Amino acid sequence: MECQICGHFCQISEGKTGKCRMQTCANGILHERFADKYLALWPSAIETVPFLHYTPGGRYLLLSTLGCNLSCPGCVSHMLVDDPDLIAGALLKADPDEILNQVRDHSCLGVIFCLNEPSVSFHTLINTAKTLKKEGLLVGCASNGCMESPVLRQILPYLDMVNIGMKGLSDDVYRTCGSPCGVKQVLDNIKIIHDTRIHLEVSVVFEARREHEITNLARHLSYLSAEIPLHIMRFIPFNGADNDCEPAPDDAEKLVTQCKTWLNWVYLFNTPGTYNLSSYCPDCKTLLIERTFYGPMGARLTNRIYQSECTCGRTIPVFGEYYRNDGYEPRFRGGYRTSVLLDMVSGTLNQLGIYDKKVVSRVLVQILSGDWLEKLQTFFATPEGYIEYIRTLGQFADTQDLVHPLLGFYTERLEQITKFVTNLRHPRVFCALSHPYLASYPDKMEVALAARAGGDVLNYQISYTESRPHPLSREEFMALQPEIILCLGMGISDTSDFLHHCHIEGLLAPAIETEQVYCIPKKYPVSGIRWILALEYFANLLHPEIIRFSLEEDEKYLNTLLNDIQTNQTNTRI
């Protein structure tokens, strides 16, 4: 049987699947493998999808199935698409009526299919959308736009908004992603959506040295309308992608300016501290809607500044009402953060020598069940929590005895550092994400590590939290007067970048004057199994007169521990 959803036109024989692994043939008829089943099924603000010009702040039930008809290098959702069977056991069954009930229970405006390609679950999408539209609710989707045009035309009558995520503006890029079509078909589908008068936003991945593709896309979209919002997704190398493909934040900021030659509303994602997530009047540059960074491919309203019409008379093309969304989504529910979490857990299992797909699947399914997503948020916030996380994974994988030496090393170093710093003066430390106004949340691991390393961590004194995400003001930063600044996260390459931001803003603080600003080396990550090295690095920085850990030696020792665990895992399987 031939599947006609996309241009792969997979010939699917009895009991087999196509390229996306979501369609199968049974008794000579094509079926969805996981009809009415979802991995993600929770409420979130629309900006996490993202949509920026449609019911701002509105709460929607996010729906994610599994699978995709592309295989893009560095995909943030690769855990949902590369091997769907790995996490299929965690799928939640919910027919259209049950989805309708959940929308009402959570006081949502409607649903949005996102995180993976919705068209691979074509019948689930259509049936659910029909049910919700009958009840006057809103339906949207984020798609790669690579479905066949007749399929798109069947879906559009039941959609209110669409975000088409483009991979670039060349057939070479689409071939690299294993696309069933070239860029022309995606552009044709964008025109179909625009001509149907459905709300349209376009996202595009920006890889280093591909500025010309993005500016050409902006020019092409302007022929349809200069009012189409364009989201530039600065490439972040997830899933082992080439680090050289990540463009510098300054290059991405310049690209936004170039694209505004053609389009009025251009936004920059995956760049903490950028002002280009907010909406400014194209005529007089007045700030109209303020947004801030909110994880991979996500944004969030600060709820401080919102106006749909500028004082100069220019209106912003936003559909629907503004909703002040003060709701708080757990960190690993909403937007692409769930897929990032699954990648983190899978990576930890691999570092512990656990590669068996049945074991990995069992652990991931257990993590996705119950309240484990909320528990992991707590685990990842402190050293003690991370120790409990490793212990829990060992229990889930039935290998708890093998991780004891690693846990012993963690515990010994923690106790040693605590003893060292107890009676020392604690310098005033500020943890920032790439920009002086973007503080690390107080419940993040880097903040806990800085405190355990003997710092008086200022992040505990400010109101910047995930439920109150607006950046610091200049006055708030100046009041902190940090002696040491630790900066980390996407969008920062070295200390000079951070100091450059400080000088542009005219900031004064002891850390800036003495250049006691440190970008955390990538080889000492604050999250993940090597966090103990980051703790030692912090302790060396904060108390160089007392503490001098040999990071090179401890890195070798940690590698030996991990190698021993992996070897023992192999011997156990044999």
Side-chain angles (χ1 to χ4, degrees):
M1 294 293 293
E2 182 178 81
C3 176
Q4 298 182 347
I5 292 175
C6 76
H8 285 306
F9 295 119
C10 295
Q11 301 295 322
I12 304 176
S13 56
E14 190 74 15
K16 303 298 183 180
T17 64
K19 182 178 176 63
C20 70
R21 295 183 288 278
M22 291 297 103
Q23 305 294 322
T24 188
C25 182
N27 299 319
I29 301 174
L30 288 180
H31 297 276
E32 279 184 41
R33 292 182 64 202
F34 306 115
D36 294 330
K37 290 186 176 182
Y38 301 92
L39 182 69
L41 192 67
W42 47 68
S44 185
I46 194 170
E47 285 79 13
T48 66
V49 175
F51 285 94
L52 301 187
H53 282 224
Y54 199 89
T55 59
R59 178 173 287 256
Y60 288 79
L61 193 68
L62 302 192
L63 304 178
S64 168
T65 58
L66 295 176
C68 186
N69 54 357
L70 304 185
S71 51
C72 304
C75 175
V76 68
S77 293
H78 79 97
M79 290 296 297
L80 282 64
V81 303
D82 288 353
D83 191 355
D85 292 295
L86 200 63
I87 51 178
L91 293 175
L92 302 171
K93 179 73 173 178
D95 64 27
D97 288 333
E98 290 172 303
I99 296 295
L100 176 61
N101 290 335
Q102 290 211 35
V103 168
R104 289 170 171 165
D105 289 345
H106 291 291
S107 300
C108 294
L109 300 176
V111 301
I112 300 176
F113 286 81
C114 56
L115 304 189
N116 73 310
E117 172 52 38
S119 65
V120 301
S121 303
F122 173 75
H123 296 290
T124 293
L125 167 61
I126 284 285
N127 294 335
T128 302
K130 285 181 178 179
T131 297
L132 268 68
K133 292 303 294 179
K134 286 180 182 177
E135 299 299 321
L137 295 164
L138 300 171
V139 179
C141 76
S143 168
N144 58 37
C146 292
M147 75 283 285
E148 286 295 286
S149 296
V151 172
L152 175 63
R153 292 183 189 278
Q154 289 183 63
I155 296 173
L156 288 181
Y158 308 103
L159 295 180
D160 299 284
M161 74 210 93
V162 179
N163 184 325
I164 295 295
M166 298 195 66
K167 311 307 172 185
L169 200 69
S170 70
D171 287 340
D172 285 344
V173 171
Y174 277 85
R175 275 192 290 270
T176 300
C177 290
S179 173
C181 66
V183 67
K184 181 180 183 303
Q185 182 171 323
V186 180
L187 294 174
D188 287 345
N189 283 342
I190 286 175
K191 186 176 187 305
I192 290 171
I193 296 168
H194 177 264
D195 291 348
T196 313
R197 304 296 183 185
I198 290 172
H199 179 79
L200 170 67
E201 302 191 19
V202 176
S203 301
V204 62
V205 176
F206 167 43
E207 293 188 14
R209 299 170 295 280
R210 287 189 173 272
E211 285 88 347
H212 63 287
E213 289 194 27
I214 313 302
T215 53
N216 285 341
L217 173 62
R219 182 169 62 249
H220 183 93
L221 292 175
S222 73
Y223 299 151
L224 296 177
S225 171
E227 299 290 86
I228 295 174
L230 176 63
H231 308 163
I232 296 176
M233 302 293 179
R234 194 175 69 88
F235 181 79
I236 302 299
F238 291 105
N239 190 27
D242 187 353
N243 289 330
D244 290 339
C245 292
E246 179 180 350
D250 284 348
D251 290 341
E253 300 281 4
K254 292 174 184 175
L255 179 59
V256 171
T257 301
Q258 293 169 12
C259 289
K260 285 185 176 180
T261 302
W262 303 97
L263 298 172
N264 292 324
W265 313 101
V266 184
Y267 301 99
L268 178 59
F269 287 76
N270 300 339
T271 309
T274 182
Y275 292 106
N276 281 313
L277 274 175
S278 297
S279 298
Y280 295 85
C281 175
D283 297 334
C284 69
K285 313 308 177 189
T286 297
L287 175 60
L288 301 177
I289 302 177
E290 186 181 49
R291 306 181 190 87
T292 188
F293 170 81
Y294 198 56
M297 268 70 88
R300 186 162 186 168
L301 293 176
T302 65
N303 292 327
R304 294 196 303 186
I305 299 174
Y306 181 90
Q307 55 189 79
S308 58
E309 182 175 343
C310 185
T311 53
C312 74
R314 178 65 182 259
T315 58
I316 178 171
V318 171
F319 175 87
E321 299 179 34
Y322 160 65
Y323 295 84
R324 183 182 178 89
N325 185 0
D326 291 321
Y328 172 67
E329 301 114 356
R331 185 162 294 149
F332 296 123
R333 295 188 191 272
Y336 289 86
R337 292 171 294 170
T338 305
S339 55
V340 171
L341 169 70
L342 293 176
D343 191 31
M344 290 168 58
V345 174
S346 177
T348 304
L349 292 172
N350 292 167
Q351 287 179 298
L352 295 175
I354 301 170
Y355 294 95
D356 185 281
K357 284 192 174 183
K358 290 183 179 179
V359 177
V360 173
S361 176
R362 185 175 73 239
V363 174
L364 292 179
V365 169
Q366 194 151 357
I367 289 293
L368 287 165
S369 65
D371 61 351
W372 276 104
L373 293 182
E374 287 73 22
K375 287 181 180 178
L376 287 183
Q377 179 169 334
T378 302
F379 285 172
F380 291 159
T382 65
E384 292 80 7
Y386 198 90
I387 290 173
E388 187 59 31
Y389 162 65
I390 294 295
R391 184 178 290 115
T392 299
L393 289 189
Q395 292 171 352
F396 286 173
D398 294 327
T399 59
Q400 52 265 48
D401 291 342
L402 299 182
V403 300
H404 282 166
L406 176 64
L407 300 182
F409 176 55
Y410 287 159
T411 302
E412 178 187 344
R413 274 291 184 266
L414 273 173
E415 292 174 350
Q416 187 178 10
I417 291 174
T418 299
K419 183 178 179 180
F420 279 156
V421 305
T422 297
N423 296 316
L424 298 179
R425 176 186 174 273
H426 290 194
R428 295 166 63 83
V429 178
F430 177 60
C431 297
L433 290 175
S434 310
H435 192 281
Y437 294 160
L438 204 61
S440 292
Y441 296 134
D443 64 344
K444 294 287 280 186
M445 183 65 143
E446 60 267 23
V447 175
L449 293 180
R452 294 301 294 268
D456 176 14
V457 184
L458 303 172
N459 299 63
Y460 293 126
Q461 302 176 20
I462 58 181
S463 61
Y464 184 75
T465 66
E466 198 158 8
S467 59
R468 297 184 62 192
H470 56 78
L472 298 178
S473 66
R474 182 177 185 276
E475 292 71 23
E476 287 172 322
F477 177 87
M478 294 279 280
L480 295 174
Q481 290 296 292
E483 299 170 84
I484 295 175
I485 296 175
L486 303 174
C487 52
L488 69 163
M490 61 178 73
I492 192 76
S493 56
D494 56 37
T495 298
S496 62
D497 287 342
F498 191 91
L499 287 171
H500 177 66
H501 288 307
C502 293
H503 295 321
I504 288 177
E505 299 292 338
L507 300 178
L508 298 175
I512 298 170
E513 294 164 13
T514 60
E515 297 192 354
Q516 290 272 71
V517 176
Y518 302 95
C519 291
I520 313 307
K522 290 185 178 180
K523 63 179 179 178
Y524 304 138
V526 297
S527 60
I529 211 161
R530 299 177 181 275
W531 63 267
I532 194 69
L533 299 177
L535 175 61
E536 294 182 1
Y537 176 78
F538 286 4
N540 285 355
L541 281 180
L542 301 187
H543 302 287
E545 72 286 357
I546 299 293
I547 301 176
R548 297 183 182 87
F549 284 111
S550 173
L551 289 167
E552 183 177 340
E553 289 300 316
D554 277 354
E555 185 175 11
K556 289 180 181 178
Y557 181 67
L558 181 59
N559 288 337
T560 299
L561 284 177
L562 294 174
N563 288 335
D564 288 346
I565 292 173
Q566 293 175 6
T567 300
N568 290 332
Q569 292 280 12
T570 301
N571 293 338
T572 300
R573 288 196 298 271
I574 295 174

